[in-house]
Amino acid sequence: MSGSPKGRPASPRELAMHVLTQVEQEGAYSNLLLNTALQKAALSKSDAGLATELIYGTISRLNTLDYFLDKYVNKGTRKLQPWVRALLRLSLYQIIYLDRIPDHAVVSEAVNLAKRRGHQGISGMVNGVLRNILRQKESLAIPADLPAAKRISLQHSHPEWLVERWISQYGRETAEAICAANNEPPAVSVRVNTTMISREEMLKEMEGHGLQAAPSSLSPYGIVVKGAGNMALTDWYREGMISIQDESSMLVAEAVGPEPGMRVLDCCAAPGGKSAHMGELMKDEGSIVANDIHSHKGKLIADQAVRLGLDCIRTVTGDAIELPARFEPASFDRILLDAPCSGLGVIRRKPDLKWGKTEEDIREIAALQSRLLDSVSALLRPGGVLVYSTCTIEPQENEGVVTSFVNRHPEFELDETGSLSRLKDNALVRGGGIQILPQHYHSDGFYIARLRRR
């Protein structure tokens, strides 16, 4: 989107309105549409930041915004044209959740956008709805006497079925904490390539350049960076000294515990962060077969390896279920199955996720995970270790899959969390694995289980 219809550069709100409308109409991912729109729009850094905040914030708070708007829009938001609905949502998001923009500026900008895009009638309606809301701003509150699941759903903007599910799995307090944590802005964390530099030296480098950097409390290889912008644009990244990775995700390679000289299989490896981390832990000695079902993603893995100076990683393309047809039985020392999953642990990074998932999706993906685990486990040598991990907090996909696998495969035993036992005080031990919830360390929700072949 190059700009407004009359050829002016797009304002951040106009860009946000266009992207939100497309997301709703086409079911497209907001991050992909936003990146394309920002590249075309050439906004200033602060305007691009505002557009990003408006898009992610509005998507994140969708059902709460609609709950309030429906009280002020005749016949409700469902009857509106998608662009008008998007405009009202992002305007109300600013009124409720952003302190730095004066309410009158929000209303006048919305009215101007409505005039440019629609006609007098629509701009009058937008003006009337928003001014009405401002007059009664104090009453914009979720009633405290609602049933727990409904109150949490509206207070923290999550689908009610998901809240009910989490209440039954984790209890009401924990379910509410999960939802609250999912609305926090995600931290920026990087993994240090210890084949090149130690974490301590990297911290000194960053502090020397005026960055706010602190060691990760979760991973010995991680650094959390505040207010630094895009770390992929730094020389440290280009030269392979750091990778961008969530702190929870850094625990997976550590759980695999690969040693120099070992033969390792990463079954679903793209975009390659965990393969690369294993290569670093092996000091680039030995071999890692990094498989992914999509060939274009194989290139991402190979590019990572080159950037990090790792020669031990070889990419292959194919369905992980068919890997036993390509390799000898019992031919790997370590196997990582970072399984495809519902992704319900990464909602703070991908707010669209929570609105698009169904219970049926969870059932289907859990069945696929079980088939993958049955298949690739045949490739592990006796005494070897297989790590099963997901970026979800859904028990059916996590301990459910692992427990039923161990019951079907007596030749495997749970290796009670291995090196991750230090997390037991904070995270949950479930099905012999570690379940990290988003509020535990303000990182992604993750499940990691370690299985040893007898």
Side-chain angles (χ1 to χ4, degrees), residues 61-68 97 142 153-157:
R61 299 287 184 173
L62 216 47
N63 66 340
T64 312
L65 296 171
D66 284 356
Y67 172 77
F68 290 127
Y97 297 105
I142 305 298
S153 162
L154 289 170
Q155 191 91 50
H156 302 290
S157 311

Side-chain angles (χ1 to χ4, degrees), residues 37-48:
L38 285 177
Q39 280 163 10
K40 288 181 183 168
L43 294 175
S44 70
K45 192 176 174 191
S46 63
D47 278 355

Side-chain angles (χ1 to χ4, degrees), residues 128 149 200 280 300 414:
E200 288 64 36
E280 291 163 10
L300 293 177
L414 275 156

Side-chain angles (χ1 to χ4, degrees), residues 6 25 28 41 68 75 77 121 170 209 226 243 248 274 284 292 294 300 306 312 317 331 333 336 353 387 407 431:
K6 295 182 183 168
Q25 288 187 300
F68 290 127
K75 298 183 183 162
T77 51
Y170 293 109
H209 283 75
K226 287 209 173 85
S243 295
S248 297
K274 298 178 188 76
D284 203 24
D292 200 79
H294 302 290
L300 293 177
V306 169
C312 65
T317 302
S331 59
D333 302 298
L336 169 59
L353 261 173
V387 166
N407 289 341

Side-chain angles (χ1 to χ4, degrees), residues 53-73:
E53 162 78 36
L54 292 178
I55 290 164
Y56 283 139
T58 301
I59 289 171
S60 194
R61 299 287 184 173
L62 216 47
N63 66 340
T64 312
L65 296 171
D66 284 356
Y67 172 77
F68 290 127
L69 284 171
D70 282 339
K71 296 182 188 317
Y72 295 92
V73 175

Side-chain angles (χ1 to χ4, degrees), residues 150-162:
K150 190 165 193 62
R151 181 190 61 74
I152 293 168
S153 162
L154 289 170
Q155 191 91 50
H156 302 290
S157 311
H158 279 65
E160 199 173 330
W161 72 268
L162 201 49

Side-chain angles (χ1 to χ4, degrees), residues 11-14 87 104-114 116:
S11 73
R13 291 174 186 83
E14 187 171 11
L87 178 58
H104 65 85
V106 172
V107 177
S108 66
E109 176 77 14
V111 171
N112 288 336
L113 269 177
R116 288 217 294 277

